[in-house]
C-alpha cells in the first residue's frame, strides 16, 4: 500500500518506520497541511491513502477543511484518513461534504490502530447529520500522538531512543521557511522523499501572488487559479434546472472564463443537451465558448475537475427521490453538497412552495448553504417566497427562451472581492 504521511516531525519518523515494517511504502511526507496542499496542487502526491494530522499547522478548523478540500480536488482518487485533536460533529461534517469520511479522534495511537483505519473504510453514513441513527460522539480534548506503549516489540529498534508516547508538538507559530526548521526537516526525513521542499512551496506561492495583480485592465479575461465549481440542482423535474445551468455557464464564459458544462447523470437516461451539438466527439462538444460534457456519470465528474477549467457548471438534475412519501437524497445531492457554490432551482408556484414546506425537515441539509433561483416567477411571487423563507438567499431569474444570454446575472460570485475567492487557493 502506497501511503503519504502528514505529521509533526516528532511523529513522522517513527510512524514512517513502523508502517514500512508492516510492508507499506511511504511515497511522501509533509510537516504542515499547507505544504500538503501545495504538493497536491503541484501534482507531486502519489499515494493510495494519505494519513493526516488534521490540526497540524492550522489555527482555525476552516483552514484544515480548506487545505484538505484542495487536496481532495487535486488527487480525487486518493483516500484521506484524518486524525483530529477533537471530534465535534460540525468539523467532521465539513470534511464529509468533500467525501472525507475516515475521520478519527485520538489521544495516542499505535501501529495496529493505523492498520485498522486503513482496512476499515467509512462511508457517508458515518458522518453526523447524514445518518439520524448515528450516536453523538464525545469530544477528545487532548492532542494526537503516536503511542510507544502500543508498539513495544514491533518497532523497538527504531524507537529505542524514545521512552514515552509521542505527543504532537504545540502549534509552531514560526515561519515555515525558518532555516533551523528546514534543517531539522531534512535530517529527520532524509530517508523519505518529500514531494515539495519548503523553498519550492515558497516559490510556488510567490509565483501565484505575482499572477494575481490588480493592475490588469478590466477588460482582460478573469484569471482564477482554481475552478469555480457550481452545482445547480432541482427538487423536482421540470423546474428549469438545465436551462438555468446553461444561463450560468454562458455568463461565466462571456466574462472570459474557460467554462465546462457537465450534464450529471446518477441514472442512465438520454441526454438533454446533445441534441444541439454539431461537433460531438463522444466525449464533449463546444458551443458559445462552452465545453459541454453530456451524460457524465458520477465517476466522470472528478476527471473534468482536472482539465484546467476556470469554471465548471454541474447540471445535477433532481437531487431527491421520493420513497413512500419521504424524500431521500441521491448521489447527485452528495455531489451538490461537496461543491462550494450550491444553487437550487424552483418555481414559485403555490404547489412548489407547499412541496418545500411539507418536506422542510428532509431538505434541511440541502438548504443549509444553498441559494434558490426562482424560475417562472413575477415580482409578487418572489416577494411571497422571501416572506415565507426569509433565511434562504433567493434570486429571481428572468427566464428567457434562449438560455445563451447573461441577462439573468446569476453568476453573482464573480463580483465578490478577490480575497473572498481564495477558498481553493494556497495562502
Amino acid at each position: 500500500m502506497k501511503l503519504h504521511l502528514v505529521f509533526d516531525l516528532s511523529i513522522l519518523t517513527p510512524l514512517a518506520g513502523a508502517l514500512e515494517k508492516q510492508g507499506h511504502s511511504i511515497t511522501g511526507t509533509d510537516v504542515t497541511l499547507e505544504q500538503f496542499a501545495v504538493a497536491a496542487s503541484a501534482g507531486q502526491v502519489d499515494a493510495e491513502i494519505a494519513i493526516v494530522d488534521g490540526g497540524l499547522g492550522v489555527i482555525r478548523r476552516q483552514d484544515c477543511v480548506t487545505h484538505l478540500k484542495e487536496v481532495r480536488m487535486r488527487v480525487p482518487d486518493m483516500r484521506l484518513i484524518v486524525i483530529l485533536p477533537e471530534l465535534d460533529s460540525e468539523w467532521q461534517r465539513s470534511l464529509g461534504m468533500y467525501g472525507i469520511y475516515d475521520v478519527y479522534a485520538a489521544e495516542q495511537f499505535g501501529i495496529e490502530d493505523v492498520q485498522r483505519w486503513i482496512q476499515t473504510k467509512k462511508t457517508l453514513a458515518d458522518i453526523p447529520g447524514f445518518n439520524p441513527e448515528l450516536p453523538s460522539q464525545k469530544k477528545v480534548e487532548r492532542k494526537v500522538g503516536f503511542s510507544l506503549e502500543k508498539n513495544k516489540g514491533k518497532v523497538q529498534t527504531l524507537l529505542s531512543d524514545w521512552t514515552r508516547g509521542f505527543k504532537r508538538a504545540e502549534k509552531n507559530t514560526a515561519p515555515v521557511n525558518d532555516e533551523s526548521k528546514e534543517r531539522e526537516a531534512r535530517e529527520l526525513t532524509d530517508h523519505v522523499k518529500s514531494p515539495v521542499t519548503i523553498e519550492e512551496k515558497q516559490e510556488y506561492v510567490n509565483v501565484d501572488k505575482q499572477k494575481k495583480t490588480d493592475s490588469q485592465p478590466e477588460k482582460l479575461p478573469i484569471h482564477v487559479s482554481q475552478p469555480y465549481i457550481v452545482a445547480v440542482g432541482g427538487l423536482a423535474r421540470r423546474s428549469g434546472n438545465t436551462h438555468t445551468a446553461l444561463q450560468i455557464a454562458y455568463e461565466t464564459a462571456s466574462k472570459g472564463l474557460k467554462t465546462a458544462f457537465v450534464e450529471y447523470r446518477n441514472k442512465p437516461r438520454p441526454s438533454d443537451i446533445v441534441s444541439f451539438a454539431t461537433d460531438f466527439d463522444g466525449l464533449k462538444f463546444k458551443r458559445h465558448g462552452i465545453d459541454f460534457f453530456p451524460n457524465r456519470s458520477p465517476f466522470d465528474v472528478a476527471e473534468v475537475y482536472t482539465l484546467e477549467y476556470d469554471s465548471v457548471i454541474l447540471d445535477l438534475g433532481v437531487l431527491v427521490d421520493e420513497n413512500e412519501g419521504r424524500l431521500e437524497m441521491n448521489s447527485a445531492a452528495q455531489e451538490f453538497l461537496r461543491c462550494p457554490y450550491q444553487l437550487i432551482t424552483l418555481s414559485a408556484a403555490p404547489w412548489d412552495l407547499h412541496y418545500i414546506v411539507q418536506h422542510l425537515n428532509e431538505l434541511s441539509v440541502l438548504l443549509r448553504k444553498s441559494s434558490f433561483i426562482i424560475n417562472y416567477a413575477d415580482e409578487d411571487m418572489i416577494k411571497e417566497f422571501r416572506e415565507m423563507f426569509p433565511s434562504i438567499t433567493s434570486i429571481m431569474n428572468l427566464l428567457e427562451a434562449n438560455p445563451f444570454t447573461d441577462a439573468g446575472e446569476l453568476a453573482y460570485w464573480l463580483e465578490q472581492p478577490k480575497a473572498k475567492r481564495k477558498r481553493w487557493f494556497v495562502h
Side-chain angles (χ1 to χ4, degrees), residues 176-208:
V176 295
N177 60 347
D178 183 81
E179 293 181 1
S180 61
K181 194 74 174 177
E182 182 184 349
R183 185 168 54 255
E184 184 182 3
R186 286 199 303 267
E187 291 173 355
L188 291 179
T189 62
D190 187 57
H191 70 292
V192 181
K193 182 180 179 182
S194 179
V196 178
T197 66
I198 293 175
E199 291 92 339
E200 287 172 336
K201 178 180 79 65
Q202 192 60 46
E203 181 182 353
Y204 181 90
V205 173
N206 289 341
V207 169
D208 192 50

Side-chain angles (χ1 to χ4, degrees), residues 10-83:
S10 62
I11 297 175
L12 194 58
T13 300
L15 179 57
L19 288 168
E20 286 176 336
K21 283 181 175 292
Q22 296 295 317
H24 299 291
S25 172
I26 309 302
T27 59
T29 64
D30 289 297
V31 294
T32 68
L33 288 177
E34 182 184 24
Q35 185 178 341
F36 182 36
V38 172
S41 298
Q44 297 183 5
V45 174
D46 178 24
E48 298 167 77
I49 298 176
I51 306 174
V52 179
D53 178 352
L56 185 62
V58 298
I59 298 175
R60 300 177 303 158
R61 296 171 186 173
Q62 186 55 41
D63 295 332
C64 162
V65 176
T66 299
H67 291 314
L68 294 182
K69 177 173 66 174
E70 182 163 353
V71 172
R72 181 71 172 163
M73 283 290 300
R74 294 299 185 176
V75 197
D77 294 330
M78 181 176 66
R79 183 177 155 214
L80 287 166
I81 297 176
V82 182
I83 308 169

Side-chain angles (χ1 to χ4, degrees), residues 80 92 96 99-103 122-124 126-127 334 338:
L80 287 166
Q92 188 177 3
I100 304 172
Y101 307 138
D102 297 283
V103 180
K122 290 188 177 184
T123 67
L124 186 67
D126 295 295
I127 303 300
Q334 296 173 24
R338 294 190 188 104

Side-chain angles (χ1 to χ4, degrees), residues 113-132:
D113 297 311
V114 180
Q115 290 280 59
R116 174 168 48 83
W117 296 338
I118 291 172
Q119 294 167 4
T120 305
K121 194 171 183 180
K122 290 188 177 184
T123 67
L124 186 67
D126 295 295
I127 303 300
F130 291 90
N131 185 352

Side-chain angles (χ1 to χ4, degrees), residues 6-12 14 31-32 53-59 83-85 106-109 141-146 162 164-174 181 184 188:
V6 185
F7 285 94
D8 185 83
L9 290 170
S10 62
I11 297 175
L12 194 58
V31 294
T32 68
D53 178 352
L56 185 62
V58 298
I59 298 175
I83 308 169
L84 300 181
E107 177 188 2
Q108 293 184 333
F109 60 95
E141 302 293 345
R142 295 175 290 254
K143 298 176 183 178
V144 179
F146 181 64
W162 305 87
R164 296 192 305 272
F166 294 100
K167 294 281 187 174
R168 188 184 59 193
E170 295 294 336
K171 289 169 184 167
N172 186 0
T173 57
K181 194 74 174 177
E184 184 182 3
L188 291 179

Side-chain angles (χ1 to χ4, degrees), residues 274-288 290-292 294:
V274 77
S275 59
F276 60 78
T278 57
D279 58 347
F280 185 46
D281 62 4
L283 176 65
K284 65 183 177 68
F285 63 92
K286 194 176 188 72
R287 186 169 182 181
H288 293 292
I290 306 166
D291 285 344
F292 288 90

